[in-house]
Amino acid sequence: MRVGAHVSIAGGIDNAVPRQVEVGGNCGQIFTTSPQVWAQPEIDEEEARRFREGTREKLDGPWVIHSSYLVNLCTPKDDLREKSVASMQAELDAATLLDIEFVNVHLGAHTGAGVEGGLENAAAALDALDVPEDVTVLIESDAGSGTKLGGEFEHLARVLEASEQDLDVCVDTAHVFAAGYDLSTPDGVRETIEEFDDVVGLEHLRCIHLNDSKHARGTNKDEHAHVGEGLIGIEGMETVINHPDLADVPLVLETPTEDGKSYEWNIDRVRELRE
């Protein structure tokens, strides 16, 4: 079972490896730089070497790089598109340096361009990237608030179809639930996975952000809860964790650190729920 958490790179990117081991993870996710500003990753070769070697020795993988929160692939604004493409290209180059397989990104918001225009913008922005052969861009599902796209499986499928890149998908359980798909019951989970397979294709599902939700289904509110303690609940999370079609998909937690419960608590909970 591949399960891990989004860990900090404070003090050097190679520190992510022992932090992942400390919380009991065997795969995981990082930011390469602050996700709140337009900053390029600054990784020296020695740090990268220690990261690569530590990963090979202590983890099963994969790692995922999560792109900056400022990236907006759907934007109709030329300057924001240019910054978004440059930021994504830097993440892809960092992934190659670190031997990381996936770079994860949200589609962003169309901000008035409309759904069709936003999805076309996203595909065009992705096509402007020079994606290394050993790296795959993952489009992440979204909670769908405002003009943000990616809340519907159809949005993901249309970008995969429209883009010339070989793209895959990361599904966030809290986002999917907030966007209106039912993950709170065994039947709901099965129906949601079947719909994803029909619309996108399970062959494109390469990572799951396994998070419970603090808000009800269909609210479009993105706030994560501890595994089994949110509105998805223990029954829904257990069904996701044990669904046979998801057995080999890496699970990455972005759960909160509060109420005395850490990443380690949540990873232990996931393993306890795995039958």
Side-chain angles (χ1 to χ4, degrees):
M1 182 181 188
R2 292 181 292 173
V3 58
H6 184 121
V7 294
S8 169
I9 65 163
I13 204 158
D14 51 311
N15 289 328
V17 175
R19 288 189 177 114
Q20 194 65 249
V21 172
E22 184 178 358
V23 299
N26 55 20
C27 64
Q29 181 175 266
I30 57 171
F31 293 122
T32 62
T33 186
S34 171
Q36 305 285 2
V37 296
W38 293 113
Q40 298 288 313
E42 296 181 1
I43 307 166
D44 66 44
E45 179 54 44
E46 182 59 25
E47 282 183 15
R49 181 189 64 79
R50 291 195 297 266
F51 177 90
R52 294 191 302 264
E53 291 181 356
T55 295
R56 285 194 296 267
E57 292 171 3
K58 299 178 180 179
L59 302 173
D60 297 326
W63 282 105
V64 180
I65 291 175
H66 195 299
S67 63
S68 169
Y69 292 141
L70 301 181
V71 168
N72 186 347
L73 303 178
C74 294
T75 182
K77 300 177 181 178
D78 290 341
D79 58 340
L80 180 53
R81 177 186 181 276
E82 290 175 6
K83 288 181 178 179
S84 297
V85 170
S87 178
M88 281 293 295
Q89 189 63 57
E91 301 290 17
L92 292 168
D93 295 341
T96 293
L97 177 62
L98 297 167
D99 282 346
I100 290 179
E101 186 175 355
F102 300 120
V103 173
N104 182 69
V105 64
H106 293 268
L107 290 176
H110 68 70
T111 61
V115 172
E116 295 293 336
L119 295 175
E120 290 175 3
N121 291 342
L126 289 162
D127 287 348
L129 297 171
D130 181 10
V131 181
E133 289 184 4
D134 56 348
V135 181
T136 299
V137 175
L138 302 182
I139 306 301
E140 182 177 346
S141 63
D142 200 274
S145 61
T147 64
K148 288 183 180 180
L149 301 180
E152 298 178 22
F153 293 156
E154 286 79 4
H155 296 170
L156 307 175
R158 284 159 68 184
V159 172
L160 264 61
E161 182 179 359
S163 174
E164 297 175 357
Q165 306 283 10
D166 291 327
L167 306 170
D168 285 314
V169 171
C170 172
V171 163
D172 185 309
T173 51
H175 296 173
V176 166
F177 186 70
Y181 296 92
D182 184 14
L183 294 177
S184 64
T185 66
D187 285 345
V189 170
R190 287 188 285 269
E191 290 170 4
T192 297
I193 292 172
E194 287 174 4
E195 182 172 352
F196 179 90
D197 192 24
D198 288 342
V199 175
V200 181
L202 281 167
E203 69 275 11
H204 288 294
L205 181 59
R206 305 296 299 278
C207 180
I208 293 173
H209 284 169
L210 190 72
N211 303 302
D212 211 324
S213 174
K214 289 188 176 181
H215 300 284
R217 174 188 173 196
T219 58
N220 303 118
K221 293 181 178 179
D222 177 12
E223 193 173 5
H224 300 172
H226 297 298
V227 172
E229 299 203 345
L231 275 295
I232 295 176
I234 195 73
E235 192 176 33
M237 297 301 281
E238 184 174 17
T239 306
V240 170
I241 291 166
N242 289 289
H243 194 286
D245 288 341
L246 309 182
D248 296 327
V249 181
L251 308 175
V252 175
L253 280 69
E254 301 168 323
T255 47
T257 302
E258 60 188 18
D259 304 325
K261 297 182 176 74
S262 62
Y263 277 141
E264 184 176 8
W265 184 93
N266 282 278
I267 289 173
D268 286 344
R269 169 62 71 90
V270 172
R271 289 200 169 105
E272 288 169 2
L273 293 173
R274 187 67 173 256
E275 295 175 353

